[in-house]
Amino acid sequence: MQHNIIEYIYLVLIILALVMLANKLRLAYPIVLVLGGLVLSFVAAFSRITIDPELVFFIFLPPLLYEAAWQTSWKEFWKWRRVIASFAFPIVIITSTVIAFVSNALIPGFTLALGFLLGGIISPPDAVSATTIMRQVKVSKSLLSIIEGESLLNDASSLVIFRFALAAVITGQFNLQDATTDFFLVIIMGIIIGVLVALVFYGIHKWLPTTTSIDIVLTLVTPYCMYYFAEHFHFSGVLAVVSGGLFLSGKRHIILSYRSRMEGVNVWSSLVFVLNGFVFLLIGLQLPTIIQQLGETTLSSAILYGLAISVVLMLTRLLCTFGAALFTRIMSHFITVADPNPGWKTPLVAGWAGMRGVVSLAAALSIPLLTNEGNPFPHRNLILFITFIVILMTLVLQGMTLPWLIKKINLEDKFETIPEKTQELIIQKKMALSSLTLLEEKYEKERLQNSHLINLYERLKIDLDFFSHHLSDTNLPKGNTQAQFHSVYLDLLEAQRKLLTDMNRQAEFDEDLIRKYFSLIDIEEYKLREKGVFPQIK
């Protein structure tokens, strides 16, 4: 047990080193982690580490999906709901069908049922890899919303296809009518269970005497409860987590205190970072095990199959995204759509953003060793190897070329009506104006008698004048008064830190109080640097 813990501590340190290398090379860290895992897989100390599919599905997937749901804007999700739905369901079904027929024709002895099984495994872009890489690439907000929304939903449809194809291979029977009914039942009931569990936790947060620590622990428990209850009744745990996460995300300012929100973000950010690191590193570490289990299929043939299916997969997604854009343009003549003319740039980038990840590998690993008759499951090891090649090809090839593609075609956000810097100026102006109005109308007497309120009122007036003056010109000069104030204020905060450090050396001052004021200074600096309107202060 101690040896295993030490081993995973080494892996954490390796993850940190690889992420720092990725930052230095300006690459998305999932790519570097997968390649690093490949290299580590040839080191004897790490070559025996394997992924337990149940561990991935139950331990890793719920929190990663839940965090992604919390990061997703419900407003944008609803705006692009038709596009997201078409990506998450029809495109997954079409891709699975294409892969089924191609693999059936390409691989000797590969039945159509096995083809649908493989298609269900590799058809969905992975929620983790897609959102992680897309967040590091400068793309339009509309496209990012579509990709994030798709990645939240497509796992459910693909795993349902996988489940039915697996049953067909094991039992040799398949009923299309039953499968279609179960498909919709699994999806709808998964969503309902997710929302019901979310309502329970909504009540706990809102009406019970929780503390910040309790709130944060509850947020960590919530996705596991959603996933478990849905899967326990054989419905979609993925959609349960996504739907419940989206519901609670929109209620965060009602059910969580300011401190729970602030500290919770830090906890979740660190947790998801570590989980993502393990996920992508473990993918790379699977190579030796998968190669050893190929059996009768030669390595060269398996690589050829994997590369061919990877190319078919990428081309199919590109064709589907262009088809979805064409369909949207046609339907715009009959119904109101978010974008009646998608053009060719957005479908191209969306099609090329279809990286596969750990969910595909976990699904492949969950294929049983034996059929119901006790025979070895046909082509199990080859399916594993092809899945690994597809993940590697899409993640490395598409992930590394995606930034170049976006820059080359000069993709712009045609839905951005107001530039982001201008939006921030407007927001801050309205906040300052609202605060001034409140002080004038509700606290007029106190404002005239309280020196602190007088200072606050005068500062708000200065800020309001500044925002009003510069709203017409967002290209602010480097020497503007506000930026100068920020620079001086940062220097002042640093001086306060030095003072607290000196005071902490004196025996009469309690270190807990000193740390409290260190934290307050950090909050002040965070507020200053995160405003983002003014030139970046180093």
Side-chain angles (χ1 to χ4, degrees):
M1 183 66 180
Q2 183 180 1
H3 176 74
N4 290 336
I5 293 174
I6 296 296
E7 196 173 64
Y8 280 96
I9 289 174
Y10 285 144
L11 285 180
V12 171
L13 294 174
I14 291 169
I15 288 168
L16 298 179
L18 289 174
V19 171
M20 286 188 281
L21 176 63
N23 292 338
K24 186 71 175 177
L25 299 175
R26 295 184 178 179
L27 291 173
Y29 73 81
I31 298 170
V32 178
L33 286 172
V34 169
L35 295 177
L38 274 173
V39 174
L40 280 179
S41 68
F42 296 101
V43 179
F46 300 104
S47 60
R48 59 187 179 80
I49 295 177
T50 58
I51 294 180
D52 181 349
E54 292 299 322
L55 185 73
V56 173
F57 276 123
F58 189 71
I59 302 299
F60 285 88
L61 201 56
L64 291 174
L65 286 169
Y66 192 69
E67 193 269 345
W70 271 66
Q71 294 293 337
T72 301
S73 164
W74 173 252
K75 181 170 68 175
E76 291 296 310
F77 186 89
W78 184 252
K79 178 181 178 181
W80 299 104
R81 62 191 181 279
R82 292 191 182 96
V83 179
I84 291 171
S86 69
F87 274 46
F89 299 108
I91 289 183
V92 167
I93 295 170
I94 292 169
T95 303
S96 298
T97 304
V98 170
I99 294 300
F101 282 96
V102 169
S103 58
N104 173 246
L106 180 65
I107 305 172
F110 215 76
T111 65
L112 206 55
L114 285 172
F116 273 104
L117 182 68
L118 177 62
I121 292 170
I122 64 174
S123 58
D126 183 63
V128 178
S129 57
T131 54
T132 303
I133 292 178
M134 289 296 290
R135 283 175 186 171
Q136 298 189 29
V137 179
K138 188 179 180 181
V139 297
S140 65
K141 292 289 180 64
S142 56
L143 177 59
L144 186 59
S145 298
I146 292 170
I147 296 297
E148 287 182 334
E150 175 207 8
S151 67
L152 287 174
L153 299 181
N154 56 33
D155 288 329
S157 55
S158 65
L159 290 175
V160 172
I161 294 171
F162 167 78
R163 183 185 300 176
F164 291 133
L166 184 64
V169 174
I170 292 175
T171 64
Q173 297 177 349
F174 179 76
N175 187 304
L176 181 61
Q177 184 177 353
D178 291 345
T180 304
T181 304
D182 288 346
F183 180 83
F184 288 104
L185 185 65
V186 163
I187 289 172
I188 294 169
M189 289 306 298
I191 294 173
I192 291 173
I193 289 176
V195 174
L196 288 175
V197 175
L199 285 171
V200 172
F201 279 93
Y202 174 90
I204 293 172
H205 282 292
K206 187 171 177 61
W207 291 303
L208 294 185
T210 60
T211 63
T212 297
S213 298
I214 292 174
D215 278 333
I216 294 172
V217 172
L218 283 171
T219 64
L220 296 175
V221 171
T222 302
Y224 292 107
C225 292
M226 293 171 176
Y227 189 86
Y228 172 77
F229 282 114
E231 290 292 325
H232 178 73
F233 295 105
H234 306 292
F235 300 125
S236 175
V238 171
L239 276 177
V241 173
V242 170
S243 59
L246 285 172
F247 175 82
L248 290 175
S249 173
K251 309 293 183 183
R252 71 181 79 183
H253 296 289
I254 300 173
I255 61 176
L256 299 177
S257 66
Y258 77 95
R259 189 164 182 175
S260 296
R261 291 194 298 269
M262 187 172 63
E263 294 186 14
V265 166
N266 295 329
V267 171
W268 270 95
S269 177
S270 301
L271 174 66
V272 169
F273 172 76
V274 173
L275 291 178
N276 273 332
F278 269 115
V279 161
F280 291 108
L281 193 71
L282 288 172
I283 288 175
L285 284 169
Q286 300 311 296
L287 181 61
T289 304
I290 294 172
I291 291 177
Q292 290 168 10
Q293 296 175 351
L294 273 178
E296 297 178 358
T297 308
T298 63
L299 181 60
S300 58
S301 297
I303 291 174
L304 180 63
Y305 297 148
L307 292 176
I309 289 173
S310 297
V311 172
V312 170
L313 189 72
M314 290 186 279
L315 289 176
T316 301
R317 178 173 172 85
L318 283 169
L319 291 173
C320 284
T321 54
F322 279 107
L326 178 61
F327 181 74
T328 300
R329 190 164 186 176
I330 294 171
M331 292 305 295
S332 67
H333 294 95
F334 306 99
I335 61 173
T336 302
V337 297
D339 184 8
N341 185 21
W344 63 272
K345 292 183 179 180
T346 299
L348 176 61
V349 175
W352 199 245
M355 286 72 70
R356 271 61 180 175
V358 71
V359 175
S360 294
L361 187 60
L365 286 166
S366 68
I367 297 173
L369 296 173
L370 303 173
T371 62
N372 284 355
E373 290 77 22
N375 300 319
F377 195 96
H379 295 287
R380 180 183 187 274
N381 300 325
L382 180 59
I383 292 173
L384 268 170
F385 186 83
I386 291 173
T387 302
F388 181 85
I389 294 296
V390 167
I391 293 171
L392 189 64
M393 278 285 292
T394 57
L395 190 59
V396 175
L397 177 61
Q398 293 181 308
M400 292 185 71
T401 56
L402 187 61
W404 172 85
L405 176 65
I406 292 170
K407 184 178 180 182
K408 191 71 175 177
I409 66 174
N410 191 27
L411 183 66
E412 297 178 352
D413 191 354
K414 58 184 177 181
F415 294 96
E416 185 183 61
T417 55
I418 305 175
E420 192 169 314
K421 285 187 176 181
T422 305
Q423 289 185 50
E424 289 207 48
L425 283 168
I426 293 172
I427 289 169
Q428 294 194 41
K429 177 189 174 183
K430 287 183 176 293
M431 289 174 67
L433 182 60
S434 174
S435 301
L436 280 171
T437 304
L438 180 70
L439 288 175
E440 290 171 350
E441 295 180 355
K442 190 174 181 180
Y443 297 104
E444 177 68 19
K445 183 179 179 180
E446 293 88 340
R447 180 177 65 82
L448 297 175
Q449 297 174 351
N450 188 313
S451 58
H452 294 290
L453 289 176
I454 291 172
N455 288 335
L456 175 61
Y457 184 80
E458 292 301 321
R459 179 173 173 177
L460 287 169
K461 282 181 64 178
I462 293 170
D463 286 347
L464 183 60
D465 290 341
F466 176 83
F467 297 135
S468 300
H469 178 71
H470 287 279
L471 258 176
S472 59
D473 181 16
T474 55
N475 297 315
L476 302 178
K478 289 186 178 179
N480 68 71
T481 55
Q482 192 79 356
Q484 186 181 46
F485 166 76
H486 285 187
S487 178
V488 172
Y489 195 26
L490 284 172
D491 195 30
L492 181 148
L493 294 177
E494 195 58 39
Q496 289 180 352
R497 285 193 183 97
K498 291 177 181 177
L499 173 65
L500 289 174
T501 302
D502 292 338
M503 292 175 68
N504 198 34
R505 295 192 183 101
Q506 301 174 30
E508 60 265 30
F509 290 104
D510 189 330
E511 187 164 355
D512 285 340
L513 284 175
I514 296 291
R515 288 178 179 177
K516 172 184 174 181
Y517 282 92
F518 266 124
S519 298
L520 292 174
I521 292 172
D522 290 340
I523 292 171
E524 282 296 311
E525 181 172 354
Y526 178 81
K527 286 164 56 180
L528 210 60
R529 292 187 182 275
E530 286 298 308
K531 285 185 177 179
V533 177
F534 310 101
Q536 185 63 40
I537 305 165
K538 299 295 184 184

